[in-house]
Amino acid sequence: MVKADPTILIIHSPDRSAITQNLVSSPDILYFVSITNSAMPLNLHRKIATSFKDQFLLQIFQISLTSLHQLKSEVADDLRRVPISLALRCLSFDFVGSPVDESSEEFGTVQLPASWRPLLQDPSTVQIFFDYYKVNDTTVSKEALECLVRLASVRRSLFVEDPARSQFLSHLMSGTREILQTGQGLADHGNYHEFCRLLGRFKVNYQLSELLSVEFYGEWIGLVAEFTTKSLLSWQWASNSVYYLLSLWSRLVTSLPYLKGDTPSLLDETVPKITEGFITSRINSVQVLSSASSDLDNPLDNAEGLQDQLESLPYLCRFKYESCSLFIINIMEPLLQAYTARSRIPAPGDVSELSVIEGQIAWMVHIIAAILKIRQTVGCSQDSQELFDAELAARVLQLINITDTGLHAQRYQELSKQRLDRAILIFVQNFRRSYVGDQAMHSSKLYARLSELLGLTDHLVLLNVIVGKIATNLKCYAECEDVIDHTLSLFQELASGYMTGKLLLKLESTKFIIANHSREIFPFLEEYRCVRSRTNFYYILGSLVFMEDGPIKFRSFMEPLLQIAVNLEASADAAFRTDVVKYAFTGLMRDLRGIAMATNSRRTYGLLFDWLYPSRMPLLLRAISLLTDEPEVTTPLFKFMSEFVLNKAQRLTFDSSSPNGILLFREISKLIVAYGSRILLLPNGTDIYASKYKGIWISLTVLSRALCGNYVNFGVFELYGDRALADALDVSLKMTLSIPLSDILTFKKLSKAYYGYMEVMFNNHITISSVLNLDTSTFVHIVSTLESGLKGLDTGISTQCASAIDSLAAFYFNNITNISAGDNPPSPAALNLARHIGEFPSLFPQILKTLFEIIIFEDAGNQWSLSRPILSLIMISEQMFSDLRAQILASQPVEQQQRLSQCFDKLMTDVTRSLEPKNRDRFTQNLTTFRHDFRAK
């Protein structure tokens, strides 16, 4: 053991004064002070961390171990906490400089440097933490276990020889064996949780053969099995900790086929008991939760926690699948019989008893769903697996018919019934992926058995049962948003598959849904809490309808929506303010948005376009004019238009003789002008984002997508004196100027829409837009917002700002700087830009300085994009570049200035005075070299 006199305390603080105030004057404590800086570049952070790791971290860890040994005798608990906490922080150090998910307590292998090897091979290193676990202070014992968890995760290659690794493993197993034997400290929840994590790490970092080679493996695995069984029974106390234990057992089971030698693993004896213990404990938990005095949360309501609990279970069940499936069936059969009998009783009887049955069946369905999600061939053949899968699946498929018949068809508002149907949906989803998906349709053994049990002869018959359940849920769960979302998720998964989508169209149940998608048949369409589900519902239906050619079927499908639109058009203006009309209109917009999302080709988009234009467009303009101050109306309308004008997959491709692109933009312009001219006059509400900003950013998105969709020849508008383009640009610009920069940067969606709009404006419409006709102060404000966007953390926004600035600078260079005597006189737009720069000459130099600071001092992920405006700005004025170069060099140490001056010289090597693509690429390459050389020591 390396000994050192002082103890080292690491203090992190962004403020030096705070450190000074916290320092304790003591000759026995050595302080390392680390000044953290959130603005420090990431690579500089890593360099400092690497240097600290190489020079100090091992010494600090040695000192913490020395202190632990010195304080092992009876001293105050407060003194023990300092060295154990320091040791934990040393072992938690980010040794490889990888980003850490702070929301998770999981980590990978601990990559200790080779210089730590002698310390870990010393048995006293591991033993000291087991000794400290035995102290009465739970804070100390918990952190001692955390240290052991990290030591158990040390990379295998740290131990050069197998005996050293085996000795280290043996020591860890010996320490955990003692804890398992005595149970000391496990009454504390923190200790219990960390101990489960420690056990879970054994199979993560060590092979089963290495565990078997330990002399007392048999005793150890028996104790772990007993501990796991007890933990499963304590589900209400150890639910989050069981995950690590089940994970250990599943890894042991999956590694068994690769085990060589004759040493018994004892898994044949232990794993079935653990599997049965898990299932039994979950069934029994339902009765406990049903008691009136129980205030525990139901695990069935926690989707994420349920997923964690069931993640490892399939591997355990399939290890001894025959006996496990029989065990499940023996539990399931009596429950199904009782549930079937209750469905035939006219009166509900004891509702609490029925809720318990539904809860127990829900657990069994979740377990079967988890098993069918994984198809593993350990322990039995593929054919045998399919037979057992069929036996389990048949019980749940039989249940589908029971849940929606008799008395049970009246219980859709009951929580226990909703939990059961959620479980069934998860089962169907997993079963479909394994046996009914595009890649899994040939399972003869399974369908032969299902045919014997239920008469389901093939995947088409089975698919009809699934779609029937989907239709039933959509009909009956009008007020349960969660079940509706789960159901639509399953429906969408079926419709999105090429083969399953085609098969769906053959089913009578699917044809029924497509032909009867009215509010009377599916009441959830009328329910406000399920309003977002409407878009997804019609996206699915649209996808199915568009799989078949023919406008006749499309028009038939749109008939219910047409009737709603006609009724709205017949409504008086005053009626648009009523809740009934507003809800009908917003519902129509959400439905149309879903259908628009499903149009992925020129043909399908044309069907919707012809349905909508010109007949239905006046309704949209009327609604936006009458209800500008109603965000619940304007938001769905603009979101529909945002999808409708998006030229994804080149779906907006009209014939060369077609005016549809121009006509579509004229309608967009009417909507933007009508909304913008009115929203600017409204006073700001208490929630300005909801009342104004949200509508503005969505309308900007609509306009931006239309401007860059490449389906409109915008020159036609000016040529024929049409104000559609100019008015849309003028109003949209006024909307952007009404928003303070602080608010633009605060609201993320608003920020993205604003900068996306500015990029399109400067790139494609700088000569047409009124941005250059503004007064100089307003123009400078707009360009300054682009500079602020460059400094932000969002790479996408930074790229958009760089593109806009590049377009502005290139326009200035091509139309003002680079103009020759024989060229045409500058355009009015160019003269306005020259006037702005003349009145505010520091605008371009300031932006160029900001760009160079980002390139030199920050780790920008969009260096290519940033290089474009830099070259354009340099081309405008060589003097501006020379002045900036002098400023940057003057800010650097004198001894570095000559070398950095040479970096600037190389930057312009072979770069000509032009903005041709080849010249730009050459400058980008030079800039990459410049940045590397400039930042080198």
Side-chain angles (χ1 to χ4, degrees):
M1 173 64 72
V2 181
K3 293 188 177 181
D5 292 332
T7 299
I8 300 179
L9 184 61
I10 314 298
I11 301 177
H12 296 273
S13 174
D15 184 6
R16 291 179 184 271
S17 61
I19 293 175
T20 306
Q21 295 170 6
N22 285 285
L23 289 178
V24 180
S25 176
S26 172
D28 298 325
I29 300 179
L30 172 63
Y31 289 90
F32 277 122
V33 179
S34 171
I35 308 296
T36 61
N37 184 356
S38 59
M40 186 183 296
L42 181 60
N43 67 336
L44 186 55
H45 268 298
R46 288 178 177 171
K47 287 180 181 178
I48 294 173
T50 301
S51 177
F52 176 77
K53 175 191 69 176
D54 295 339
Q55 297 182 40
F56 303 112
L57 192 58
L58 178 57
Q59 181 189 357
I60 297 170
F61 186 57
Q62 290 171 328
I63 292 172
S64 71
L65 293 178
T66 302
S67 302
L68 287 171
H69 281 279
Q70 293 174 347
L71 298 174
K72 188 177 178 182
S73 57
E74 295 187 5
V75 294
D77 289 336
D78 290 345
L79 290 177
R80 288 197 181 104
R81 292 178 184 176
V82 175
I84 196 73
S85 180
L86 180 60
L88 176 59
R89 279 153 181 75
C90 290
L91 293 170
S92 304
F93 189 82
D94 184 10
F95 290 95
V96 294
S98 57
V100 178
D101 181 7
E102 298 291 345
S103 64
S104 172
E105 63 180 9
E106 280 305 290
F107 52 87
T109 304
V110 178
Q111 302 287 342
L112 290 182
S115 57
W116 292 51
R117 183 182 298 118
L119 203 59
L120 263 71
Q121 290 181 346
D122 185 344
S124 64
T125 301
V126 172
Q127 187 58 44
I128 191 64
F129 294 110
F130 278 117
D131 292 341
Y132 266 72
Y133 169 73
K134 299 174 184 177
V135 303
N136 294 325
D137 187 350
T138 55
T139 301
V140 173
S141 57
K142 179 176 178 293
E143 292 197 341
L145 283 175
E146 289 186 66
C147 290
L148 287 167
V149 170
R150 282 155 178 79
L151 289 174
S153 307
V154 170
R155 62 185 176 95
R156 294 173 53 83
S157 57
L158 185 67
F159 302 96
V160 180
E161 300 175 351
D162 288 340
R165 187 187 303 117
S166 299
Q167 184 181 7
F168 185 76
L169 172 61
S170 177
H171 205 154
L172 286 171
M173 291 177 65
S174 176
T176 54
R177 178 184 61 172
E178 184 179 350
I179 295 174
L180 289 167
Q181 289 172 335
T182 62
Q184 182 178 356
L186 296 180
D188 177 75
H189 192 277
N191 287 348
Y192 191 95
H193 185 70
E194 290 302 324
F195 184 68
C196 290
R197 290 183 69 198
L198 175 58
L199 291 176
R201 299 305 294 184
F202 276 97
K203 188 55 190 73
V204 174
N205 218 30
Y206 296 95
Q207 298 174 4
L208 178 57
S209 58
E210 292 175 316
L211 297 175
L212 286 170
S213 65
V214 177
E215 181 181 358
F216 49 87
Y217 165 80
E219 181 185 3
W220 181 83
I221 199 70
L223 290 169
V224 174
E226 182 182 351
F227 176 75
T228 303
T229 304
K230 291 180 179 178
S231 298
L232 293 173
L233 296 175
S234 305
W235 56 268
Q236 63 268 59
W237 190 71
S239 59
N240 294 330
S241 308
V242 165
Y243 165 79
Y244 302 102
L245 299 175
L246 295 178
S247 178
L248 166 66
W249 289 104
S250 69
R251 288 190 173 102
L252 289 172
V253 165
T254 52
S255 63
L256 198 58
Y258 309 101
L259 181 64
K260 298 179 180 179
D262 300 327
T263 307
S265 65
L266 305 179
L267 297 180
D268 291 349
E269 305 170 10
T270 54
V271 170
K273 294 179 181 178
I274 291 169
T275 306
E276 293 175 7
F278 178 88
I279 296 172
T280 304
S281 65
R282 269 50 196 170
I283 293 297
N284 294 338
S285 70
V286 178
Q287 189 71 53
V288 177
L289 290 167
S290 67
S291 62
S293 59
S294 175
D295 57 353
L296 298 171
D297 294 332
N298 195 317
L300 292 173
D301 295 332
N302 182 357
E304 186 177 347
L306 192 61
Q307 174 66 25
D308 288 342
Q309 288 190 44
L310 298 174
E311 183 178 331
S312 302
L313 186 65
Y315 303 100
L316 304 182
C317 292
R318 289 187 181 272
F319 176 59
K320 293 292 182 181
Y321 199 16
E322 182 176 2
S323 60
C324 180
S325 61
L326 288 174
F327 180 78
I328 292 173
I329 291 170
N330 288 335
I331 294 177
M332 193 73 171
E333 282 292 346
L335 290 173
L336 287 175
Q337 292 172 8
Y339 197 57
T340 304
R342 292 300 293 264
S343 70
R344 296 168 181 161
I345 300 175
D350 188 349
V351 176
S352 62
E353 182 186 348
L354 183 56
S355 296
V356 170
I357 295 174
E358 287 177 331
Q360 291 175 335
I361 296 176
W363 264 113
M364 296 307 298
V365 173
H366 275 296
I367 291 169
I368 293 173
I371 295 171
L372 296 180
K373 185 178 181 180
I374 305 295
R375 297 182 67 179
Q376 181 191 9
T377 56
V378 175
C380 63
S381 66
Q382 181 71 30
D383 289 347
S384 299
Q385 266 202 100
E386 288 191 7
L387 289 175
F388 297 139
D389 286 352
E391 292 286 349
L392 296 180
R395 270 67 188 179
V396 184
L397 294 171
Q398 178 187 352
L399 175 67
I400 291 177
N401 293 326
I402 303 172
T403 55
D404 301 316
T405 57
L407 173 65
H408 303 319
Q410 307 169 21
R411 291 176 45 79
Y412 292 106
Q413 307 306 318
E414 299 294 332
L415 277 177
S416 58
K417 178 70 163 60
Q418 293 171 12
R419 294 184 186 117
L420 176 56
D421 272 327
R422 280 199 299 266
I424 291 174
L425 287 170
I426 293 172
F427 158 80
V428 171
Q429 207 159 26
N430 293 347
F431 185 55
R432 188 208 69 80
R433 290 169 182 170
S434 295
Y435 289 106
V436 197
D438 288 350
Q439 304 298 323
M441 289 192 173
H442 306 289
S443 305
S444 56
K445 294 289 184 181
L446 177 129
Y447 285 109
R449 186 58 181 151
L450 285 179
S451 178
E452 295 173 8
L453 295 172
L454 301 175
L456 301 176
T457 54
D458 58 21
H459 55 267
L460 193 60
V461 179
L462 180 59
L463 201 58
N464 196 53
V465 173
I466 294 173
V467 178
K469 179 59 179 174
I470 289 172
T472 301
N473 282 1
L474 295 178
K475 288 179 187 177
C476 301
Y477 278 106
E479 298 180 7
C480 186
E481 183 183 1
D482 188 38
V483 175
I484 291 293
D485 287 344
H486 273 81
T487 304
L488 289 176
S489 175
L490 172 61
F491 198 13
Q492 182 176 345
E493 195 173 288
L494 290 170
S496 60
Y498 178 75
M499 288 300 299
T500 51
K502 292 288 187 182
L503 289 173
L504 284 181
L505 294 173
K506 298 179 180 180
L507 304 177
E508 291 300 322
S509 50
T510 306
K511 293 176 182 177
F512 173 83
I513 296 174
I514 293 175
N516 300 276
H517 52 93
S518 63
R519 295 167 294 176
E520 291 76 20
I521 302 297
F522 299 110
F524 82 94
L525 295 172
E526 277 289 337
E527 192 64 35
Y528 183 76
R529 72 186 72 183
C530 298
V531 69
R532 295 181 183 274
S533 301
R534 295 183 66 148
T535 301
N536 195 23
F537 178 62
Y538 276 94
Y539 167 67
I540 298 165
L541 295 188
S543 300
L544 292 171
V545 170
F546 290 139
M547 283 184 182
E548 295 183 318
D549 294 327
I552 297 176
K553 290 186 177 180
F554 174 75
R555 285 196 293 269
S556 174
F557 167 70
M558 296 296 288
E559 191 62 36
L561 301 184
L562 177 62
Q563 190 59 48
I564 294 173
V566 170
N567 292 339
L568 288 170
E569 290 165 354
S571 301
D573 288 353
F576 267 75
R577 287 281 175 184
T578 63
D579 290 340
V580 174
V581 173
K582 284 192 294 186
Y583 188 82
F585 180 80
T586 56
L588 178 64
M589 292 299 101
R590 294 180 188 277
D591 300 345
L592 290 176
R593 182 187 173 200
I595 297 170
M597 290 165 59
T599 60
N600 289 315
S601 68
R602 178 181 174 183
R603 177 187 63 83
T604 56
Y605 184 86
L607 292 174
L608 181 60
F609 181 87
D610 292 339
W611 185 89
L612 193 66
Y613 182 87
S615 307
R616 309 280 78 83
M617 293 306 295
L619 175 62
L620 275 62
L621 182 60
R622 185 181 174 199
I624 207 75
S625 302
L626 295 174
L627 302 172
T628 305
D629 59 338
E630 300 279 0
E632 66 268 23
V633 174
T634 58
T635 296
L637 190 157
F638 276 129
K639 283 193 172 182
F640 159 61
M641 290 305 299
S642 175
E643 176 62 36
F644 189 61
V645 302
L646 178 62
N647 192 12
K648 63 182 181 182
Q650 296 300 306
R651 62 182 182 176
L652 271 78
T653 304
F654 301 107
D655 294 334
S656 58
S657 60
S658 172
N660 285 348
I662 296 170
L663 295 174
L664 175 59
F665 186 82
R666 290 179 66 183
E667 298 299 328
I668 296 167
S669 175
K670 291 176 186 177
L671 293 173
I672 297 293
V673 171
Y675 177 76
S677 59
R678 290 168 173 80
I679 198 70
L680 292 172
L681 300 177
L682 296 178
N684 295 336
T686 52
D687 186 354
I688 192 170
Y689 178 81
S691 61
K692 277 193 173 184
Y693 292 168
K694 187 172 183 178
I696 289 175
W697 78 253
I698 302 175
S699 63
L700 290 177
T701 302
V702 173
L703 184 58
S704 300
R705 288 180 172 182
L707 290 173
C708 63
N710 201 30
Y711 51 85
V712 184
N713 185 344
F714 290 103
V716 170
F717 294 104
E718 185 177 9
L719 180 64
Y720 291 100
D722 192 326
R723 292 282 306 170
L725 175 61
D727 290 346
L729 293 176
D730 287 346
V731 170
S732 59
L733 189 60
K734 289 177 182 177
M735 286 194 290
T736 62
L737 291 173
S738 70
I739 308 173
L741 176 60
S742 58
D743 287 351
I744 291 174
L745 299 177
T746 299
F747 299 106
K748 187 175 181 180
K749 291 182 179 179
L750 174 62
S751 183
K752 287 186 175 182
Y754 172 82
Y755 286 113
Y757 166 79
M758 285 299 170
E759 180 186 21
V760 174
M761 180 84 81
F762 279 92
N763 286 0
N764 303 336
H765 302 282
I766 191 170
T767 58
I768 303 175
S769 70
S770 56
V771 66
L772 295 179
N773 296 330
L774 299 167
D775 60 90
T776 300
S777 61
T778 306
F779 172 79
V780 170
H781 165 76
I782 291 175
V783 179
S784 298
T785 63
L786 298 178
E787 183 186 359
S788 299
L790 286 174
K791 299 175 182 178
L793 298 177
D794 192 306
T795 303
I797 288 176
S798 174
T799 300
Q800 290 174 328
C801 293
S803 176
I805 292 170
D806 178 43
S807 297
L808 180 64
F811 180 80
Y812 189 96
F813 174 74
N814 292 326
N815 292 274
I816 299 173
T817 305
N818 205 32
I819 195 169
S820 305
D823 293 338
N824 293 326
S827 64
L831 293 174
N832 284 336
L833 178 57
R835 174 173 57 82
H836 294 321
I837 300 303
E839 294 180 15
F840 203 90
S842 63
L843 183 62
F844 281 156
Q846 178 59 40
I847 294 175
L848 184 60
K849 180 183 177 183
T850 298
L851 286 165
F852 264 102
E853 288 175 348
I854 294 172
I855 288 291
I856 293 173
F857 300 113
E858 296 183 17
D859 293 316
N862 57 339
Q863 186 175 314
W864 185 92
S865 300
L866 296 174
S867 70
R868 268 32 195 174
I870 291 178
L871 178 62
S872 300
L873 291 168
I874 290 176
M875 292 295 103
I876 289 175
S877 172
E878 294 182 2
Q879 184 61 45
M880 176 173 64
F881 175 57
S882 299
D883 293 344
L884 177 61
R885 167 179 170 162
Q887 291 179 32
I888 294 175
L889 291 176
S891 67
Q892 301 300 310
V894 176
E895 64 274 11
Q896 295 287 334
Q897 290 183 3
Q898 183 177 357
R899 180 182 67 83
L900 299 180
S901 178
Q902 294 173 354
C903 294
F904 274 104
D905 293 337
K906 295 178 182 178
L907 178 61
M908 303 305 294
T909 301
D910 298 329
V911 177
T912 62
R913 190 172 173 75
S914 75
L915 294 178
E916 295 298 323
K918 289 185 177 180
N919 198 47
R920 285 180 177 272
D921 292 340
R922 191 178 301 114
F923 177 77
T924 300
Q925 294 172 2
N926 290 353
L927 187 65
T928 302
T929 304
F930 164 81
R931 179 178 180 273
H932 178 269
D933 295 344
F934 195 98
R935 295 168 65 133
K937 293 183 180 179

